[in-house]
């Protein structure tokens, strides 16, 4: 991704999301100015935010020249510890989509190995 930041240096961080709700950090937050190139590192994103940018001259996003059309294997050793879902990384995975009750709950980067459900209203009372 190429970003043009005119004027003084701006504290800019790139964030991405697959669903437009759950954003993850794709870059560090640091002062940048002029023509800046930020690499997504293979993160599967549909939505991008340049957080902290007060003035942007131009934003250009370039996709890969070729894509992988074969899906990776499913994660192994999946376990649920309370409200936290854990798994082992899958080599070649571009990211993970977490679904519950037929709804997409989270889109996570390929480096993720856990997700905590904070949307559930299910409670257990112990007497």
């Amino acid at each position: 991704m190429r970003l043009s930041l005119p004027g003084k240096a701006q504290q800019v961080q790139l964030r991405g999301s697959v669903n437009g709700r759950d954003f993850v950090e794709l870059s560090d937050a640091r002062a940048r100015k002029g023509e800046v190139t930020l690499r997504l590192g293979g993160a599967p994103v549909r939505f991008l935010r340049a957080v902290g940018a007060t003035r942007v001259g131009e934003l250009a996003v370039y996709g890969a020249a070729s894509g992988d059309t074969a899906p990776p294997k499913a994660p192994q050793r999946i376990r649920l510890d309370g409200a936290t879902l854990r798994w082992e990384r899958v080599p070649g995975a571009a990211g993970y989509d977490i679904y519950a009750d037929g709804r997409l709950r989270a889109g996570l980067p390929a480096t993720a190995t856990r997700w905590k459900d904070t949307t559930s209203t299910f409670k257990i009372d112990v007497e």
Side-chain angles (χ1 to χ4, degrees), residues 16-108:
S17 171
V18 295
N19 61 16
R21 276 187 326 234
D22 304 308
F23 282 81
V24 296
E25 297 174 2
L26 300 174
S27 75
D28 59 347
R30 66 172 201 234
R32 295 176 164 92
K33 70 178 185 176
E35 293 290 323
V36 178
T37 299
L38 299 168
R39 304 220 181 272
L40 301 180
V45 295
R46 184 173 175 197
F47 302 91
L48 288 172
R49 286 183 180 164
V51 179
T54 56
R55 205 169 154 208
V56 175
E58 179 181 349
L59 171 67
V61 180
Y62 301 95
S66 64
D68 182 6
T69 58
K73 295 179 181 177
Q76 298 297 308
R77 297 187 178 143
I78 300 171
R79 60 196 181 282
L80 184 62
D81 300 324
T84 302
L85 184 65
R86 300 175 192 276
W87 62 89
E88 287 187 2
R89 283 189 191 156
V90 176
Y96 304 96
D97 289 337
I98 308 294
Y99 286 86
D101 300 324
R103 284 187 358 186
L104 179 64
R105 297 291 178 99
L108 304 173

